[in-house]
């Protein structure tokens, strides 16, 4: 009740589940879980299961109270900041007296390294060389040795543990953990950790660019104390569990809202092929702050629209059982999503806010049908704003046309309308505003997509003309602008493979 509310959404969902278990046949009106104003910090994802399903007459509606600001938060506050009065070893002289320090939250004990940090809702920059807005170009790449030569770094690097290389590769970028560096004539040779070292040098597309006419691939290095040299940058010493930050102008660290992510998922709405979740709706809720740990554990070498490569290599001689001319093969997996939906029908997200994520915002995966994503705001997202459809399973060759044996897995008849998608793919530049894989009868209309590094809407998957499940998709009346800021071979709307009847 209003006077005696439930303490958590988990508890409210359990109550609704019990009500439906006991008297589902007699309920003829919507069941509403109303969340009062507040910033709700979660210690685990909210799970929505088949048993939480409503009906056509009695849907389950999870909504923020009218006029209230309701936040489901996957982050942790970093507090008790102190100005650093001693020299942080390795940092440049310019940092002296400008750094603040705090302890990492205890909840992160045993977690992978912290990759993301926000201050007052603005993503801070992990200490990097050269600084934000600048990049250098690689000198060469040796695929056989799995090494890269870069220009000399004008800094004395005493310790490279934790250092990463971000490299721009045509329509994608890779994140490679550096294992060793050595001086060589003309620069520095970098060696990388596995598995990304092998994947980066074996996968054929997209490769590092070596081109005298247009220039070699651009890169920057990140995550060393030596790179902490300007306002807005941060670095974590995981040995001492300390986070260091150089505040921007106007930021008061004694009162700032400083956040690091704890969770990768805020919502996991997952049914099964035989019992999908149905008639569950989210309204007027803000989902904020999630991380993505995979690049810290195994690097990140994506194939297209941010899909991480598990394995990929060229074929000699070319050809497979389904394509006699195929020259390369690859297998991919899916990046994490703040809100993940699998096997769900007639669900919706309306008038919600998705912001401050390291990876995908909202992902409708296999077995999702007749769902609605309408009137939402997506902003400050490291990966894609919205994904839906199949992009091949981990066990399936991604070049194979998608013709599933069971219709329950097909993604179809979803509607994505009236959303504002802004400043997404701001960390994984090859991601997109809206990414649709193998889908059919999908309607995408009246969305505005702006300020991203690559493609606005990507429709389809695979690189072949073979008929598959895709057909009759409509991408109409969308406003797409200020895209392609850094990556190329993209478009406002980018399509792949055979999909007859698509407009």
């Amino acid at each position: 009740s209003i006077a005696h509310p439930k303490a958590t959404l988990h508890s409210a969902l359990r109550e609704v589940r019990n009500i439906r278990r006991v008297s589902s046949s007699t309920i003829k009106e919507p069941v509403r879980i109303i969340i009062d104003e507040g910033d709700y910090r979660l210690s685990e994802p909210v799970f929505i299961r088949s048993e939480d399903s409503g009906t056509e007459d009695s849907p389950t509606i999870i909504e923020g109270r009218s006029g209230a600001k309701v936040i489901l938060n996957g982050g942790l506050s970093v507090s008790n900041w102190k100005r650093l009065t001693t020299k942080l070893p390795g940092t440049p002289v310019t940092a002296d007296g400008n750094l603040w320090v705090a302890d990492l939250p205890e909840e992160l004990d045993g977690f992978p390294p912290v990759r993301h940090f926000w201050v007052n809702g603005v993503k801070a920059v992990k200490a990097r060389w050269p600084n934000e807005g600048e990049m250098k170009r690689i000198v060469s790449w040796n695929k056989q040795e799995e090494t890269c030569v870069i220009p000399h770094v004008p800094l004395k690097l005493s310790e490279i543990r934790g250092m990463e290389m971000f490299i721009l590769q045509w329509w994608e970028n890779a994140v490679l953990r550096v294992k060793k560096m050595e001086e060589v004539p003309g620069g520095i040779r970098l060696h990388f950790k596995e598995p990304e070292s092998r994947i980066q040098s074996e996968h054929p597309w997209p490769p590092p660019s070596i081109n005298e006419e247009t220039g070699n691939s651009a890169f920057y290095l990140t995550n060393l104390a030596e790179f902490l040299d300007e306002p807005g940058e941060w670095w974590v010493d995981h040995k001492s569990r300390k986070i260091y930050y150089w505040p921007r102008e106007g930021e008061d660290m004694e009162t700032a809202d400083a956040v690091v992510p704890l969770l990768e998922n805020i919502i996991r709405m997952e049914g099964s092929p035989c019992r999908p979740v149905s008639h569950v709706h989210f309204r007027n809720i803000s989902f904020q702050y999630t991380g993505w740990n995979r690049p810290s554990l195994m690097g990140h070498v994506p194939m297209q629209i941010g899909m991480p490569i598990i394995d990929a290599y060229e074929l000699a001689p070319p050809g497979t059982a389904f394509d006699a001319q195929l020259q390369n093969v690859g297998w991919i997996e899916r990046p994490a999503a703040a809100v993940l939906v699998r096997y769900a029908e007639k669900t919706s997200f309306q008038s919600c806010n998705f912001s401050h994520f390291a990876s995908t915002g909202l992902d409708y995966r296999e077995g999702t049908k007749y769902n609605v994503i309408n009137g939402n705001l997506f902003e400050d997202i490291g990966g894609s704003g919205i994904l839906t459809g199949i992009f091949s399973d981990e066990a399936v060759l991604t070049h194979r046309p998608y013709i599933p044996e069971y219709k329950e897995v097909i993604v179809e008849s979803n509607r994505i309308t009236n959303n504002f998608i802004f400043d997404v793919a701001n960390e994984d530049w090859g991601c997109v505003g809206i990414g649709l894989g193998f889908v059919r009868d999908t309607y995408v209309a009246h969305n505005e997509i702006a300020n991203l590094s690559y493609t606005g809407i990507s429709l389809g998957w695979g690189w072949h003309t073979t008929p598959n499940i895709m057909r009759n998709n409509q991408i109409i009346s969308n406003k797409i602008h200020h895209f392609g800021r850094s990556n190329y071979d993209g478009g406002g709307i980018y399509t792949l493979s055979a999909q007859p009847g698509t407009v």
Side-chain angles (χ1 to χ4, degrees), residues 90 156-163 179 181 223-227 235 239:
K156 184 177 180 181
L157 305 181
S158 58
E159 171 67 67
I160 65 165
R161 178 176 297 177
M163 186 170 77
K179 180 174 66 175
M181 61 187 301
N223 202 35
L224 288 185
E226 286 83 351
F227 302 153
W235 178 72
K239 289 182 180 179

Side-chain angles (χ1 to χ4, degrees), residues 344-418:
E345 301 180 0
K346 299 179 180 179
T347 68
S348 70
F349 288 84
Q350 300 195 64
S351 302
C352 292
N353 184 324
F354 299 78
S355 58
H356 312 318
F357 304 142
S359 188
T360 307
L362 174 59
D363 192 353
Y364 269 83
R365 298 182 60 168
E366 65 271 28
T368 51
K369 313 171 192 292
Y370 306 102
N371 302 289
V372 173
I373 304 168
N374 180 67
N376 305 286
L377 170 64
F378 295 80
E379 62 175 342
D380 183 22
I381 294 174
S384 296
I386 301 171
L387 291 178
T388 184
I390 302 293
F391 294 88
S392 77
D393 301 319
E394 294 179 18
V396 178
L397 181 63
T398 195
H399 299 82
R400 182 183 292 276
Y402 186 66
I403 309 172
E405 184 176 352
Y406 304 103
K407 69 179 188 314
E408 288 82 3
V409 303
I410 293 175
V411 177
E412 62 182 334
S413 302
N414 296 310
R415 297 175 62 88
I416 303 173
T417 55
N418 301 304

Side-chain angles (χ1 to χ4, degrees), residues 117-125 245 248 251 257 289 356 380:
F117 176 52
W118 287 265
V119 179
N120 296 333
V122 179
K123 184 185 288 184
V125 178
Y245 179 59
R248 300 178 176 97
E251 291 176 338
D257 179 23
Y289 296 112
H356 312 318
D380 183 22

Side-chain angles (χ1 to χ4, degrees), residues 471-487:
R471 62 174 183 261
N472 301 333
N473 299 302
Q474 297 184 67
I475 313 295
I476 58 173
S477 300
N478 299 280
K479 184 177 182 180
I480 306 168
H481 56 98
H482 293 82
F483 60 92
R485 295 186 306 166
S486 58
N487 297 27

Side-chain angles (χ1 to χ4, degrees), residues 201-449:
S201 286
E202 280 193 341
H203 86 287
W205 298 105
S209 177
I210 304 294
N211 191 309
E212 292 184 1
E213 181 179 353
T214 60
N216 295 350
S217 281
F219 78 95
Y220 63 83
L221 304 176
T222 186
N223 202 35
L224 288 185
E226 286 83 351
F227 302 153
L228 187 49
D229 64 352
E230 69 173 3
E233 289 192 335
W234 63 280
W235 178 72
V236 169
D237 183 349
H238 284 93
K239 289 182 180 179
S240 64
R241 299 187 63 259
K242 302 285 188 184
I243 180 169
Y244 299 89
Y245 179 59
W246 186 335
R248 300 178 176 97
E249 185 177 356
E251 291 176 338
D252 181 354
M253 297 312 295
E254 293 182 343
T255 59
D257 179 23
V259 178
V260 292
L262 172 68
L263 304 180
E264 290 189 314
N265 312 117
I266 293 175
I267 303 291
R268 295 182 66 99
M269 182 156 58
E270 299 181 85
S272 67
C274 298
R275 298 190 64 207
V277 177
S278 65
H279 301 288
V280 175
H281 306 287
F282 286 84
R283 298 176 182 169
N284 191 34
I285 294 175
S286 181
F287 306 97
Q288 294 187 7
Y289 296 112
T290 59
W292 187 34
N293 297 322
R294 188 186 192 280
S296 292
L297 303 175
M298 56 187 67
H300 177 47
V301 183
M303 180 174 289
Q304 194 157 326
I305 66 170
M307 298 294 165
I309 296 173
I310 300 172
D311 198 10
Y313 53 88
E314 295 189 36
L315 295 175
T320 66
F322 64 87
D323 186 346
Q325 305 301 318
L326 189 63
Q327 297 181 344
N328 63 89
V329 293
W331 292 261
I332 61 170
E333 63 180 41
R334 198 99 156 204
V339 178
L340 171 64
V341 185
R342 299 173 66 244
Y343 295 107
E345 301 180 0
K346 299 179 180 179
T347 68
S348 70
F349 288 84
Q350 300 195 64
S351 302
C352 292
N353 184 324
F354 299 78
S355 58
H356 312 318
F357 304 142
S359 188
T360 307
L362 174 59
D363 192 353
Y364 269 83
R365 298 182 60 168
E366 65 271 28
T368 51
K369 313 171 192 292
Y370 306 102
N371 302 289
V372 173
I373 304 168
N374 180 67
N376 305 286
L377 170 64
F378 295 80
E379 62 175 342
D380 183 22
I381 294 174
S384 296
I386 301 171
L387 291 178
T388 184
I390 302 293
F391 294 88
S392 77
D393 301 319
E394 294 179 18
V396 178
L397 181 63
T398 195
H399 299 82
R400 182 183 292 276
Y402 186 66
I403 309 172
E405 184 176 352
Y406 304 103
K407 69 179 188 314
E408 288 82 3
V409 303
I410 293 175
V411 177
E412 62 182 334
S413 302
N414 296 310
R415 297 175 62 88
I416 303 173
T417 55
N418 301 304
N419 301 286
F420 183 40
I421 302 171
F422 177 80
D423 187 27
V424 301
N426 63 19
E427 187 164 334
D428 195 353
W429 294 353
C431 292
V432 298
I434 300 175
L436 306 106
F438 289 102
V439 298
R440 69 187 186 193
D441 300 307
T442 297
Y443 183 73
V444 181
H446 302 288
N447 303 282
E448 182 170 356
I449 303 171

